Amino acid sequence: MKALKERILRDGKCFEGGILKVDNFINHQMDPVLMKSMAVEFVRRFASTDINKVMTIEASGIAPAIMVGYLLELPVVFAKKKRPSTMENMLTTMVYSFTKDRSYEVCVSRDYLCPGDRVLFIDDFLANGNAAKGVIDLVQQAGAELVGMGFLIEKAFQHGGDYLRQQGIHVESLAIIESLENCEIKIRE
Amino acid sequence: MKALKERILRDGKCFEGGILKVDNFINHQMDPVLMKSMAVEFVRRFASTDINKVMTIEASGIAPAIMVGYLLELPVVFAKKKRPSTMENMLTTMVYSFTKDRSYEVCVSRDYLCPGDRVLFIDDFLANGNAAKGVIDLVQQAGAELVGMGFLIEKAFQHGGDYLRQQGIHVESLAIIESLENCEIKIRE
C-alpha cells in the first residue's frame, strides 16, 4: 500500500536488532486518516471473505481493528495481555515476545469468541508470528474459524508470514519489510 | 447520549463494589458503530473548542479516541502504561488504581506531547479521576494545554468528575451513572 510505504520511509526509525519504530503514526502517536485508509485496503483485500467478527490484541492493534470493524459494521474483540480480575469464562494462551524476551499470557472471553465465529484478525506488526500463533490457538480453543489475518507491517526477514502462509492462512500485509540491515529500511515493491 | 444509556441498561453488568462491566460493547468486545456515534457526540460537545491533538491512555481509550481523531482529522496519542524499552525522551507520572489497588506508571513521549499542544483527552471511564489527574500532570509537564476531557461513562458517585470540574476543566461524559447500589444501574437523565 503506497501511502503506508511512503510514510514508513519518511517517519519510520530503524534500530539495531531489526527493530523498526513507527511511533510517529502507529504505535504511540496515530494518524487516524491513514488508519482509515489502511482499513479500507483490508476491506478490499478480504472482500471475498465471509467475516462476522474482527479480532485483535491490545494495544496497538485496536486502532486498525476498530476502523475495519467500523467499515464492515462488525463487532471487534480485543484479546487482553493480562487476565482481568473480574473476567470469567476465559480462553488463554502463552505468547513469547522476542523483542522483550519474555512470555506473556493473552486471553479472551468465551462470551465474545464463540463456536462458529468467522474471525478476521488484524494487528500492527507481523514479525516472528508468535502473537499470531497465540491467536490461532485461541480461535481453535473457541471452536471458531480463522478466515484471515491482516497486518499493517510484516517483517519478512523474521519469517512469521512464511509460517502462517504455509498453514494455508490468508495473510495480507500492507507493507512488507525485506530488510533492516545497516539500519536501512528496504520495503518490498 | 441516548443510544449509550440504552446500551448500558441492556448490556452493562453490575458487580459488588461499584463495578460496572461493559465488556460487551466497550472494554473487550467493541461496537464500532456505537463508537463512531459517541465520537460524533464528542465532536458536537467540544465544537467550540480549539483542539490540535487527541490524547488517551491504552487500551480501552484507544477506540473512542481514534474515532474522534478520525472525525477531526487530528493526530491521536495514546499514553502507555509501561515504559517501552526503546523509548527515550519520556514524560512519566504515577496513577493509583482503586479497582486494582496498585499504582502504575503512565508515560508519553515529549516528541508527541509538545509545548503549545491543545489537547482533548478521551477515555472510556471517569471514576475517581486518578488517571485523569495523571493526564493533567503529563500535559503540564509537556507545557501543553488541556482544553477538554471526554468520557464515555462517568461514575458520579466516585466524584472524579466533581474534582475535574472544580479545576475549571471542560468535562463531558456521554452517560453519567448516579448509583450502582444493590447492583442496580441508575443513570442520570
Side-chain angles (χ1 to χ4, degrees):
Chain A
M1 187 193 166
K2 192 161 171 282
L4 175 60
K5 290 176 187 173
E6 288 173 356
R7 189 67 178 268
I8 292 169
L9 291 175
R10 195 185 84 190
D11 290 330
K13 284 180 187 165
C14 199
F15 292 82
E16 290 295 335
I19 295 171
L20 175 65
K21 276 185 67 176
V22 287
D23 277 5
N24 178 284
F25 58 103
I26 292 176
N27 291 123
H28 188 24
Q29 178 170 263
M30 303 181 289
D31 178 339
V33 177
L34 177 64
M35 210 62 92
K36 190 272 295 176
S37 301
M38 295 190 289
V40 169
E41 181 65 16
F42 280 132
V43 170
R44 201 182 66 75
R45 294 194 188 194
F46 290 105
S48 60
T49 308
D50 178 18
I51 306 160
N52 80 320
K53 195 165 279 179
V54 178
M55 183 177 167
T56 188
I57 300 181
E58 64 180 0
S60 291
I62 292 176
I66 196 86
M67 283 292 179
V68 172
Y70 174 64
L71 294 171
L72 297 174
E73 298 188 8
L74 292 176
V76 179
V77 177
F78 64 93
K80 304 201 174 200
K81 286 183 179 168
K82 274 186 187 166
R83 187 196 297 253
S85 56
T86 56
M87 198 176 282
E88 294 166 357
N89 204 15
M90 302 296 295
L91 300 164
T92 65
T93 193
M94 292 303 292
V95 170
Y96 174 71
S97 165
F98 273 90
T99 319
K100 295 173 184 167
D101 189 24
R102 60 176 182 83
S103 290
Y104 57 95
E105 193 178 44
V106 174
C107 57
V108 67
S109 167
R110 283 183 191 273
D111 294 343
Y112 305 120
L113 187 61
C114 312
D117 272 345
R118 298 180 56 80
V119 176
L120 173 62
F121 176 73
I122 297 288
D123 209 354
D124 56 341
F125 270 94
L126 170 60
N128 302 285
N130 288 328
K133 287 175 193 170
V135 168
I136 294 168
D137 182 33
L138 290 174
V139 170
Q140 283 176 341
Q141 287 185 53
E145 186 182 348
L146 184 67
V147 297
M149 304 187 106
F151 302 92
L152 304 183
I153 300 174
E154 175 178 344
K155 297 200 276 189
F157 58 94
Q158 290 176 330
H159 302 296
D162 295 343
Y163 171 84
L164 297 177
R165 291 180 182 98
Q166 280 159 16
Q167 305 298 308
I169 295 169
H170 179 184
V171 177
E172 294 285 350
S173 302
L174 304 189
I176 298 178
I177 311 294
E178 289 287 7
S179 155
L180 295 171
E181 274 176 39
N182 305 316
C183 285
E184 187 192 344
I185 303 171
K186 285 189 184 161
I187 304 185
R188 188 176 295 175
E189 284 306 315
Chain B
M1 188 194 166
K2 190 159 174 282
L4 175 59
K5 289 176 186 172
E6 288 173 356
R7 190 65 179 269
I8 291 169
L9 292 174
R10 196 184 85 190
D11 290 332
K13 284 179 186 165
C14 201
F15 292 83
E16 289 295 335
I19 295 171
L20 174 65
K21 276 184 70 177
V22 288
D23 277 5
N24 177 282
F25 57 103
I26 292 176
N27 290 123
H28 188 23
Q29 179 169 263
M30 304 180 289
D31 177 339
V33 176
L34 176 64
M35 210 61 91
K36 190 271 296 175
S37 300
M38 295 189 289
V40 169
E41 181 66 14
F42 281 131
V43 170
R44 199 182 66 75
R45 295 195 188 193
F46 291 104
S48 60
T49 308
D50 179 19
I51 306 160
N52 81 320
K53 197 166 279 179
V54 178
M55 183 177 167
T56 189
I57 299 181
E58 65 180 0
S60 291
I62 292 176
I66 196 88
M67 282 293 179
V68 172
Y70 173 63
L71 294 171
L72 297 174
E73 299 188 8
L74 292 176
V76 179
V77 177
F78 64 92
K80 304 200 174 200
K81 287 184 180 168
K82 273 186 187 166
R83 188 197 296 254
S85 57
T86 56
M87 198 175 281
E88 294 165 358
N89 205 17
M90 300 297 293
L91 300 165
T92 65
T93 194
M94 292 304 292
V95 170
Y96 174 71
S97 165
F98 273 90
T99 320
K100 295 173 184 167
D101 189 24
R102 61 176 182 82
S103 291
Y104 57 95
E105 192 177 46
V106 173
C107 57
V108 66
S109 168
R110 284 184 191 272
D111 294 345
Y112 305 120
L113 187 61
C114 312
D117 272 345
R118 297 180 57 81
V119 176
L120 174 63
F121 177 73
I122 297 288
D123 210 355
D124 55 341
F125 270 94
L126 171 60
N128 301 286
N130 288 327
K133 287 175 194 168
V135 168
I136 293 169
D137 182 33
L138 290 173
V139 169
Q140 282 175 342
Q141 286 185 53
E145 187 182 349
L146 185 66
V147 298
M149 304 187 105
F151 302 92
L152 304 183
I153 300 174
E154 175 178 343
K155 296 200 276 188
F157 59 91
Q158 290 177 330
H159 303 296
D162 296 341
Y163 172 83
L164 297 177
R165 291 180 183 99
Q166 278 159 16
Q167 304 298 307
I169 295 169
H170 180 183
V171 176
E172 295 284 351
S173 302
L174 303 188
I176 298 178
I177 311 294
E178 290 287 7
S179 156
L180 296 171
E181 273 175 40
N182 304 316
C183 285
E184 187 192 344
I185 302 171
K186 286 191 184 158
I187 304 185
R188 189 176 294 177
E189 284 306 315

